[in-house]
Amino acid sequence: MIRALLLLALLAAAAAPAAAQQRPPAQRPDTLSPQQRALLRLRNLPAPARPDTVTTATDSIPAQQVQVTGAAARPAPSQIQRDSIMDQLLRIGTYIGTEYSADSARYDAGSRVLELRGQPQVAREGNQLVADSSIVYDEARALACGYGSPVLHAAGQPEPLASDTVCFDVERQVGQAIGASTRVQEGATWNVRCDAYFLEDQLYCHDALFSDCDLPYPHQHYAFGAKELKVVRNNVMVGRNVTMRFADVPVFWLPFMVQSLSRGRRSGILMPRFGINDIARNSSSYNRRIEDVGFYWAINDYMGAELAMDWFSDNWTSLRGSFDYNWARQFLRGGLTYRHFWREGGGSNFTLASSNSWQPDERTSLSLSANFAQAEFVRRRSFDPNELNQSIQSNGGINRRFDWGTINLTLSRRQQLSDNTVAMTLPNVSLNFLPLTLFEAMPGEERWYSNLTWNGGASLNRATATVGAANTNPQALSRQDLTGRVNSSIRLGRLGWSQNFDFQENTRESRTLPGDSVALPGFSEQRGSWSTSLSFQQRLIGTSTLTPGVSIRGDYVRNDSTGQSIVSGPMRVDFSSALRTDLFGFWPGFGPFQRFRHRLSPSFTYSYSPAARADSLQRAIFGGTGVAEQNRITIGLTQTFEAKYRDEPESERAAPRDTAAVGDTAQADTALATRRTAAAGDTLGGVVLQRREQVRTVSLLAINTQAIVYDFVQARDGYGLVTTTLNNSVQSELLRGMQLSFTHDLFRTSTDSLGVQERSFAPHLSQVNASFSLNANSWLFRVLGLGRRDTVSTQQGGAALEQGEQDQAGPAVDRTESEYGLIGTGRRTAPGSPRGAVGTWNASFNYSLVRPRSTIPGVTSNQMLTANVTFQPTENWTVRWNTGYSFTDSEFANHVLTLTRRLHDWDANFDFVKAQNGNFSFMFRVHLRANPDVKLDYSQSEVRGLQGR
């Protein structure tokens, strides 16, 4: 075999020092020539353990004489085809084997030069050189050169090095390539072409061209040209005297350029954010802005910190510090961002944003989300419409589950940007016991007292509110409220007995309205109530149930009217009975529906309480409703319209839906195992299990009407209908996320000349709230023939950045997105824009209407529509539009319009933002996907009321 003969010729002609070709064996001093040593060693090898399957007549060494004993390491892999003899020879542990493969070979024994021609290949210790023309190996200098588009595969390097000519020093592992081209793939794929020197994992180039454009050279859309370039694998790529070219047209010049190639997180200087007009202003009134001048510190695998400075001329100078951590194995993650602003005219403000969560064990969870800002500063300076629409909220809590129950402790703070009113809840603690079953008994063994179940709980809540100076509501007062509740219930079959105790303490502080000398008085009041009730549920026909009950209750009060002394109310006895039923109507179906069903669920509750015995003080404190006779009926109504799909053919029928509740893994697994067993025909306990086929239904319309209350006692002297407003809520599965509610004010009130209040029945639509979503795949559009299914899955545009492992903390911000807010940071999404199929779109709408009667002073109408629309007009264009329109003012309140154009290697974004406070911002951003720090920005912003743009 020619490859074996070439290898033997190399070993026979080897005259290089032992350190270069042979590892010195542990034996006596050698007096033989290298050729005699090689032949002697091969002939002394013992016979193989199994016959060699390769028997070629031209092989000068019988196969049965070749064997390697001992645990010799396997030879390094190569593209050269090997037979068993070649494989055994390369297993000789004291030699370094070099493999050759070619159509012809010429070896000069005097100069020790081997020339291979005709698709030559050379492999040694994992390094491999392949050429189209020839490979020349100079054994004396340990130098291998390839001609004719040689390709070098270096050991440990993922990408090969192709060139016009390459020479490689085998001993020093140093090479030179003329017209070399290779790829550096760490996060992004960079195609590099240059005259290069390479040493192990380092590459040195001059007159280099590098680009992430995947078109072949010289047809690349763009490229960076560097006079000098250094690439350190898995570390960094540094270019000096860099010129960027589109095709062969130079665009701009950089003194140097640095591209990190390391994986995961790393410390380093942040790339500042600024635009062209921040360098060369096109107007003397333009306000320059420079962001992200700072440093990121990767503390360890789980923590990172960032410190950066922002400057907005004639507005502010800010310093931002952030810290984030993510320890997935401990279920601990979160972050903190603090921003301090020094205003141009003097004074300072700060904002704080933090989010943290920890689950130390499977029964305990902790969370903390803290946000703080000065309302006036954010309300005037922010460019973010979403930030201006919402209140600043902070929340925290701890939840702990025990074998006997659950304890939940939460706290919250909400700050209104409109008037700086601050509401806090601290603490809000609840204790819930798990149901305790006494006298447990198996079915058929129950007695009348068996399976007695007790349940109970307690809660405590303290809420405070500080009214802001800008609040003009005449009824708004700073308050402190403390409420508590203890409840217990016992159920035995259909019989239930429950007890409740409620406590509340309310304090209101006096207040003087802005611009008014009238002071609103404050007050303090304490109330408590208790009740015990007994009920029994009796099933009638079908789903109809009748639940009679009796309860005893009492209360007490302490306020200014009682001289801050406790006055107990009279004990009341209430008798009640509740009737609930379901009525069904069926209609034949059409189209894809087999049948329609209308379910009407009315409920009637009647309650009666005789007049209580009360003295004059109790009548004065608790009023007529607290001691007088009560005789009421409450009527509620819920109705749904459902449709059942027609049965599908057996060949097209989808797999049955799993009836196990989402999140119940054990039940889902059991149901799945049962279904598989039934499908296989297995029997369990002599019974073949078979899952019932699920019927596909859709809820066309669900209407829930608020219950109305009629008082027979009040009807004797006036108006018996207690309910003055009626609310209806509507839901449907035909429109994704549809929520519709509307409220009617039923009566118009007036006062006659004697001061008696009168009312007349005049329904008035006072409030409407609606929200729903639509897209090209919505049911409504498919029925009308206007929609189509999206066959292309939405994917994230742009090259995927290396995010590190899941238990590593990530960078504090993503600098490829614009940030318009002042509270914390929201730039945490990946570069690029989501893309879908051409013609796909999504839209969500929220509509609100407040329309009080004109007789209510100080309250005005308001009608608002907010919309969020995203659509894909072409393959590479994406449009996102968020807006709000006020029908009351007949104008748009805010706009956020973003147009994204995906280019071959770049992403171009056009951002237009107009906030409801009048602030305006426009930005044009183009960034390279392979290196988002290489970008072109143009921005223009205006703060209403401040001079300059």
Side-chain angles (χ1 to χ4, degrees), residues 586-598:
F586 299 91
W587 293 274
F590 59 87
F593 303 118
Q594 180 182 1
R595 205 175 190 187
F596 294 96
R597 184 180 75 172
H598 179 206

Side-chain angles (χ1 to χ4, degrees), residues 1 4-5 114 191 215 217 228 270 323 423 425-426 435 571 595 647 729 736 788 810 836 841 843:
M1 301 172 65
L5 291 175
L114 175 65
N191 300 301
L215 295 180
Y217 175 83
E228 296 177 345
L270 302 179
F323 170 78
T425 301
L426 178 66
M571 188 173 63
R595 205 175 190 187
D647 293 337
S729 61
R736 181 163 51 95
R788 61 186 180 89
W841 56 273

Side-chain angles (χ1 to χ4, degrees), residues 790 792-795 833-840 872 874-875 878:
D790 186 1
V792 179
S793 60
T794 302
Q795 51 182 290
S833 57
R835 295 186 300 149
V838 175
T840 57
Q872 189 86 28
T874 66
E875 181 180 359
T878 303

Side-chain angles (χ1 to χ4, degrees), residues 522-582:
F523 64 90
S524 176
E525 183 179 71
Q526 184 182 107
R527 286 182 175 272
S529 63
W530 61 269
S531 66
T532 179
S533 60
L534 191 66
S535 63
F536 181 81
Q537 186 181 81
Q538 177 63 49
R539 176 170 295 181
L540 301 178
I541 301 175
T543 60
S544 302
T545 59
L546 179 65
T547 308
V550 59
S551 64
I552 303 175
R553 58 185 174 91
D555 53 1
Y556 75 91
V557 66
R558 184 177 67 179
N559 53 26
D560 295 338
S561 301
T562 65
Q564 294 300 325
S565 60
I566 297 178
V567 175
S568 299
M571 188 173 63
R572 305 295 303 269
V573 179
D574 298 329
F575 301 93
S576 64
S577 181
L579 174 64
R580 292 177 174 82
T581 186
D582 292 323

Side-chain angles (χ1 to χ4, degrees), residues 875-910:
E875 181 180 359
N876 294 315
W877 275 102
T878 303
V879 181
R880 295 189 297 272
W881 181 33
N882 300 332
T883 186
Y885 181 79
S886 174
F887 293 95
T888 304
D889 301 329
S890 300
E891 65 178 9
F892 285 94
N894 57 73
H895 290 285
V896 179
L897 178 62
T898 300
L899 289 84
T900 301
R901 176 67 165 91
R902 178 181 172 86
L903 305 174
H904 187 256
D905 306 287
W906 304 74
D907 281 334
N909 298 273
F910 303 84

